[in-house]
Every structure is written in structure tokens, then in C-alpha cells.
Amino acid sequence: MTNTFSNDQVLLTIPMRPDMELAAAKLASVIAESMSFNDDQIEEIQLAMIESCINAFEHSQSPDQSVVIQYIISTNGLELKITDQGIGFNPTNRSKRRSSQPDLHPDMRKRGWGLEIMNTLMDSVDIMSGENGTTITMVKYKTA
Amino acid sequence: MANKFDIQTRVEHEYAVLETAGYLNDSLGEQLSKKAQELIEKGYTQLVINLDKTALINSIGISILIEIIEALDERDGTLNFCGLSATQERTFRMMAIAKYAGIFPDEKAAIANF
């Protein structure tokens, strides 16, 4: 993300506990509203945030059981960095994951949609993952 | 952070409506699935799920909705959704749910299209 002006940044750490993804989503909503994103864009940001947190909760196996979220505000848009200290994953393999139960309709599989939802709802999604953790960076650009 | 949720059920002669309120995650999804299963076992194979009061939904909640679609498929039943936000509808369509369940703007349209 290219910035014309210096960034404002908000930092949030959440424990990997049920519904804590809502705290991250609500803060994203407040920040996005302050940036004059419209209601649809705010909902898209919230749902993408929820999926990124759930992804960390379910798969990271992070020893500190926490997720750090940076909300970076710029004139171009809102950048979200969701970081865990877990074991990492291969995003290419993850998108092909399936439920343990067979799906009746394979094109409507039950699990493994998180990354596709993030990609659908945000303008860009980038994943950096290794043995020391994962950072998902998502951007929603301001539109004129 | 407590997630307050609720499910209201309305039963008519040929169909039933399940109306959710709150964040549709695994907890609300499992309760919804249980209520849907009870209705299916009573012979209701035309169900409406009204999501008008559910502002946020996650992929685990959606996976449980897919299980309800599959349970109805096994009885040659139909599930129609209504009250979705534009973003929820977009997500459902991306996940191919619209191929196997109806998506309508309101309850009246969902019921009329069984």
C-alpha cells in the first residue's frame, strides 16, 4: 500500500477464545466507519476479519494462544495485519482442505472457505507463513 | 465477549420458518441445526431460514447451514433463505449455496417460491 501521508495505527491483541474474533471485527468496524467506508464495505471488512481470526484460532497451534492485529489507516484505505506465532501453513494446500465428512455436493463443500471468503471480500490478501507464524495482510481501498 | 443469540420458530401447515438473531457461528449454528432437524423429523421438508436479524456470520456457521441443506436434500426437501445482506448473499453465491437453496429478499417471497 503506497501512502501519501504517514499512517495512523491501532494495535489489538486478542486471546484465542470463543467469540474474540468479534472484538477484532467490531474494532475494524469502528475504524472503517471513521474512514467513511460505506455499510457494505464495513461488513466486508468485518467478515474478512472474522475469517482471518478463526483461521488463526483453528489452525495456528500458537503456543501463546493469542493473535495480534494491526489496523493501519492511510489515505488510500485500511490495511489489516493479523499475526499469530503458530506453526504456519501452506496457503495453497489450505484452500483445498475438506471436511472429514464427504460433501454431498462437492462444489458446496462444508469447510475450507476462509481464505476464499477473505479474497472475495477484500481488495488484496497476502499471506506470509513460516515455522514461526503467519501474517495475513488484507487491504480495503477507499473508492472515490 | 458474550454473543447473544436467539432462534424463533414459526410452523405453518406446509412449511416452517426459523428466524435467527445474533452472530451465526458454531454455537448458534448448532442450535439452528438441532431445531431444523427436529422439524425435518416431524415431516417439515420446506424450511425458511430468515437471517434478517443476523448481521454477522462466519464460515463455520455457513458450514452448518450446508448440513441443513444436505439433510433436506435427503428428504427431497427445500431450504429457502431470506433477509441476507448484500455481502452475505455474495458470500453464499461464492460458496455455491445458491445452487442448492433459494435466496429471496423477504419471508413472503421465500414462502411463495417453495
Side-chain angles (χ1 to χ4, degrees):
Chain A
M1 176 179 252
T2 306
N3 298 309
T4 310
F5 302 105
S6 62
N7 294 324
D8 287 330
Q9 192 174 144
V10 179
L11 201 59
L12 174 71
T13 302
I14 56 171
M16 293 183 176
R17 293 181 54 188
D19 292 344
M20 280 298 106
E21 71 276 15
L22 281 179
K26 285 185 191 242
L27 179 54
S29 171
V30 169
I31 292 169
E33 195 173 343
S34 77
M35 296 173 67
S36 302
F37 280 105
N38 66 37
D39 289 347
D40 285 344
Q41 291 171 315
I42 292 170
E43 187 181 353
E44 289 164 1
I45 291 167
Q46 285 193 94
L47 294 185
M49 175 60 77
I50 284 170
E51 290 306 320
S52 67
C53 290
I54 288 173
N55 190 68
F57 292 4
E58 285 198 316
H59 304 295
S60 74
Q61 299 178 42
S62 173
D64 70 354
Q65 288 291 289
S66 69
V67 178
V68 177
I69 302 156
Q70 286 174 271
Y71 304 79
I72 302 164
I73 302 162
S74 78
T75 50
N76 295 336
L78 177 59
E79 184 176 16
L80 307 165
K81 287 182 179 285
I82 300 94
T83 301
D84 66 65
Q85 304 287 318
I87 58 171
F89 70 98
N90 182 333
T92 310
N93 292 344
R94 175 62 56 77
S95 65
K96 293 174 183 166
R97 283 172 66 102
R98 295 291 186 271
S99 164
S100 56
Q101 293 180 329
D103 295 308
L104 195 61
H105 305 294
D107 57 343
M108 189 181 62
R109 68 181 189 272
K110 288 191 273 292
R111 298 305 307 276
W113 285 103
L115 296 177
E116 282 161 88
I117 291 172
M118 288 178 237
N119 275 309
T120 297
L121 299 179
M122 298 298 281
D123 294 320
S124 79
V125 177
D126 181 58
I127 301 167
M128 296 282 287
S129 192
E131 60 186 20
N132 295 319
T134 299
T135 295
I136 296 178
T137 303
M138 307 188 291
V139 181
K140 179 67 90 177
Y141 293 109
K142 293 286 296 286
T143 49
Chain B
M1 177 174 288
N3 171 35
K4 292 187 173 63
F5 53 75
D6 182 43
I7 302 168
Q8 297 291 325
T9 307
R10 293 191 302 284
V11 174
E12 299 293 338
H13 286 300
E14 295 177 354
Y15 63 86
V17 178
L18 293 153
E19 185 177 6
T20 63
Y23 174 38
L24 182 45
N25 59 359
D26 52 342
S27 302
L28 178 57
E30 280 163 16
Q31 290 199 24
L32 182 63
S33 176
K34 188 178 170 194
K35 293 205 175 191
Q37 204 59 50
E38 287 169 1
L39 289 166
I40 292 167
E41 282 168 15
K42 285 179 185 170
Y44 291 95
T45 55
Q46 293 182 321
L47 300 184
V48 172
I49 295 181
N50 185 340
L51 296 172
D52 190 46
K53 295 177 184 166
T54 287
L56 293 173
I57 188 165
N58 71 24
S59 57
I60 303 171
I62 297 175
S63 72
I64 294 170
L65 297 179
I66 292 171
E67 288 174 1
I68 297 171
I69 293 170
E70 291 179 345
L72 282 166
D73 270 0
E74 289 171 0
R75 307 279 184 106
D76 291 324
T78 306
L79 177 60
N80 286 343
F81 291 100
C82 67
L84 278 71
S85 69
T87 303
Q88 288 169 346
E89 182 170 342
R90 188 172 157 206
T91 306
F92 277 34
R93 291 191 184 284
M94 187 269 290
M95 295 173 72
I97 289 174
K99 279 176 69 176
Y100 304 101
I103 296 177
F104 298 95
D106 53 39
E107 239 179 72
K108 191 177 172 187
I111 291 163
N113 280 280
F114 278 126

